[in-house]
Short mmCIF file of all heavy atoms in Angstrom, two decimals:
data_model
loop_
_atom_site.label_atom_id
_atom_site.label_comp_id
_atom_site.label_asym_id
_atom_site.label_seq_id
_atom_site.Cartn_x
_atom_site.Cartn_y
_atom_site.Cartn_z
N MET A 16 9.51 7.79 1.86
CA MET A 16 8.45 8.11 2.87
C MET A 16 7.48 9.13 2.22
O MET A 16 7.86 10.01 1.46
CB MET A 16 9.18 8.74 4.06
CG MET A 16 10.06 7.87 4.88
SD MET A 16 9.32 6.28 5.36
CE MET A 16 8.00 6.89 6.44
N THR A 17 6.28 8.98 2.56
CA THR A 17 5.20 9.92 2.06
C THR A 17 4.34 10.49 3.15
O THR A 17 4.49 9.98 4.33
CB THR A 17 4.31 9.18 1.12
OG1 THR A 17 3.57 8.04 1.82
CG2 THR A 17 5.10 8.58 -0.10
N ALA A 18 3.52 11.41 2.87
CA ALA A 18 2.67 12.08 3.87
C ALA A 18 1.55 11.22 4.40
O ALA A 18 1.02 11.45 5.43
CB ALA A 18 2.16 13.43 3.35
N SER A 19 1.23 10.18 3.65
CA SER A 19 0.14 9.28 4.05
C SER A 19 0.26 8.06 3.14
O SER A 19 0.96 8.00 2.11
CB SER A 19 -1.18 9.95 3.89
OG SER A 19 -1.40 10.27 2.52
N GLY A 20 -0.57 7.02 3.58
CA GLY A 20 -0.77 5.90 2.70
C GLY A 20 -1.41 6.27 1.45
O GLY A 20 -1.19 5.71 0.37
N THR A 21 -2.45 7.15 1.54
CA THR A 21 -3.11 7.73 0.40
C THR A 21 -2.14 8.30 -0.59
O THR A 21 -2.23 8.06 -1.85
CB THR A 21 -4.10 8.70 0.79
OG1 THR A 21 -5.05 8.12 1.70
CG2 THR A 21 -4.89 9.24 -0.33
N ALA A 22 -1.14 9.10 -0.09
CA ALA A 22 -0.21 9.72 -1.02
C ALA A 22 0.67 8.60 -1.69
O ALA A 22 0.98 8.78 -2.94
CB ALA A 22 0.74 10.64 -0.16
N SER A 141 0.81 2.39 5.14
CA SER A 141 0.26 3.57 5.87
C SER A 141 0.77 3.48 7.32
O SER A 141 0.98 2.41 7.91
CB SER A 141 -1.23 3.41 5.92
OG SER A 141 -1.79 4.32 6.80
N PHE A 142 1.11 4.67 7.83
CA PHE A 142 1.42 4.78 9.21
C PHE A 142 0.45 5.77 9.93
O PHE A 142 0.79 6.62 10.73
CB PHE A 142 2.83 5.33 9.30
CG PHE A 142 3.88 4.37 8.73
CD1 PHE A 142 4.46 4.69 7.49
CD2 PHE A 142 4.13 3.17 9.29
CE1 PHE A 142 5.36 3.77 6.90
CE2 PHE A 142 5.04 2.18 8.71
CZ PHE A 142 5.68 2.60 7.54
N HIS A 143 -0.85 5.67 9.56
CA HIS A 143 -1.97 6.48 10.14
C HIS A 143 -2.00 6.09 11.63
O HIS A 143 -1.56 5.00 12.06
CB HIS A 143 -3.17 6.08 9.42
CG HIS A 143 -4.39 6.98 9.85
ND1 HIS A 143 -5.34 6.48 10.76
CD2 HIS A 143 -4.77 8.21 9.45
CE1 HIS A 143 -6.21 7.45 10.93
NE2 HIS A 143 -5.89 8.42 10.18
N GLU A 144 -2.63 6.93 12.38
CA GLU A 144 -2.79 6.71 13.82
C GLU A 144 -3.53 5.36 14.13
O GLU A 144 -3.40 4.89 15.30
CB GLU A 144 -3.63 7.88 14.49
CG GLU A 144 -5.01 8.02 13.95
CD GLU A 144 -5.68 9.24 14.52
OE1 GLU A 144 -5.05 10.25 14.72
OE2 GLU A 144 -6.90 9.20 14.81
N THR A 145 -4.31 4.80 13.18
CA THR A 145 -5.02 3.65 13.47
C THR A 145 -4.10 2.37 13.19
O THR A 145 -4.55 1.25 13.52
CB THR A 145 -6.25 3.45 12.59
OG1 THR A 145 -5.77 3.58 11.20
CG2 THR A 145 -7.25 4.55 12.94
N TYR A 148 2.00 0.61 13.75
CA TYR A 148 3.18 1.47 13.78
C TYR A 148 2.67 2.84 13.19
O TYR A 148 2.33 2.86 12.07
CB TYR A 148 4.35 0.81 13.09
CG TYR A 148 4.50 -0.61 13.46
CD1 TYR A 148 4.18 -1.60 12.62
CD2 TYR A 148 5.11 -0.89 14.64
CE1 TYR A 148 4.25 -2.91 12.96
CE2 TYR A 148 5.28 -2.38 15.10
CZ TYR A 148 4.82 -3.32 14.15
OH TYR A 148 4.93 -4.56 14.56
N SER A 149 2.82 3.92 14.04
CA SER A 149 2.13 5.12 13.56
C SER A 149 3.02 6.37 13.63
O SER A 149 3.80 6.55 14.62
CB SER A 149 0.86 5.38 14.42
OG SER A 149 0.30 6.64 14.21
N SER A 150 2.82 7.23 12.76
CA SER A 150 3.43 8.52 12.81
C SER A 150 2.35 9.63 12.84
O SER A 150 2.59 10.80 12.61
CB SER A 150 4.39 8.84 11.62
OG SER A 150 3.70 8.72 10.39
N GLY A 151 1.06 9.25 13.28
CA GLY A 151 0.00 10.14 13.29
C GLY A 151 -0.60 10.19 11.88
O GLY A 151 -1.66 9.69 11.66
N GLU A 152 0.08 10.71 10.96
CA GLU A 152 -0.18 10.64 9.53
C GLU A 152 1.13 10.27 8.86
O GLU A 152 2.18 10.92 9.14
CB GLU A 152 -0.74 11.93 8.96
CG GLU A 152 -2.23 11.96 9.03
CD GLU A 152 -2.96 11.09 7.92
OE1 GLU A 152 -2.28 10.33 7.33
OE2 GLU A 152 -4.15 11.25 7.80
N GLY A 153 1.15 9.34 7.98
CA GLY A 153 2.40 9.04 7.18
C GLY A 153 2.23 7.76 6.40
O GLY A 153 1.19 7.14 6.42
N GLY A 154 3.17 7.64 5.43
CA GLY A 154 3.10 6.45 4.67
C GLY A 154 4.48 6.20 3.99
O GLY A 154 5.44 6.89 4.18
N LEU A 198 5.56 15.00 0.42
CA LEU A 198 6.59 14.80 1.47
C LEU A 198 6.06 14.79 2.92
O LEU A 198 5.17 15.64 3.21
CB LEU A 198 7.61 15.97 1.33
CG LEU A 198 8.59 15.86 0.20
CD1 LEU A 198 9.25 17.25 -0.07
CD2 LEU A 198 9.60 14.77 0.43
N PRO A 199 6.60 13.84 3.74
CA PRO A 199 6.18 13.92 5.09
C PRO A 199 7.04 14.87 5.96
O PRO A 199 8.15 15.28 5.45
CB PRO A 199 6.34 12.47 5.60
CG PRO A 199 7.64 12.05 4.72
CD PRO A 199 7.42 12.81 3.45
N SER A 200 6.56 15.20 7.14
CA SER A 200 7.35 15.98 8.08
C SER A 200 8.59 15.09 8.65
O SER A 200 8.34 13.98 8.94
CB SER A 200 6.46 16.50 9.20
OG SER A 200 7.26 16.81 10.36
N LEU A 202 9.70 15.42 11.63
CA LEU A 202 9.37 15.12 12.97
C LEU A 202 8.44 13.83 12.93
O LEU A 202 8.59 13.04 13.90
CB LEU A 202 8.55 16.30 13.57
CG LEU A 202 9.36 17.46 13.98
CD1 LEU A 202 8.54 18.67 14.41
CD2 LEU A 202 10.39 17.21 15.06
N ASN A 203 7.46 13.76 12.07
CA ASN A 203 6.64 12.57 11.90
C ASN A 203 7.55 11.35 11.72
O ASN A 203 7.31 10.31 12.32
CB ASN A 203 5.62 12.72 10.82
CG ASN A 203 4.49 13.65 11.19
OD1 ASN A 203 4.83 14.88 11.45
ND2 ASN A 203 3.30 13.28 11.23
N CYS A 204 8.43 11.46 10.85
CA CYS A 204 9.29 10.31 10.43
C CYS A 204 10.19 9.88 11.64
O CYS A 204 10.33 8.64 11.89
CB CYS A 204 10.28 10.73 9.36
SG CYS A 204 9.35 10.91 7.68
N TYR A 206 9.40 10.24 14.79
CA TYR A 206 8.48 9.62 15.79
C TYR A 206 8.20 8.18 15.30
O TYR A 206 8.21 7.18 16.15
CB TYR A 206 7.15 10.36 15.78
CG TYR A 206 6.09 9.92 16.72
CD1 TYR A 206 6.17 10.15 18.08
CD2 TYR A 206 5.06 9.01 16.27
CE1 TYR A 206 5.20 9.69 18.99
CE2 TYR A 206 4.10 8.61 17.20
CZ TYR A 206 4.15 8.97 18.55
OH TYR A 206 3.24 8.47 19.34
N LEU A 207 8.11 7.89 14.04
CA LEU A 207 7.84 6.62 13.48
C LEU A 207 9.09 5.72 13.61
O LEU A 207 8.97 4.50 13.92
CB LEU A 207 7.36 6.67 12.02
CG LEU A 207 7.29 5.42 11.26
CD1 LEU A 207 6.14 4.53 11.81
CD2 LEU A 207 7.03 5.65 9.73
#
Side-chain angles (χ1 to χ4, degrees):
M16 300 303 298
T17 61
S19 64
T21 300
S141 172
F142 299 109
H143 184 264
E144 64 185 38
T145 57
Y148 312 103
S149 168
S150 57
E152 270 286 11
L198 283 165
S200 156
L202 289 174
N203 289 59
C204 290
Y206 183 82
L207 173 67

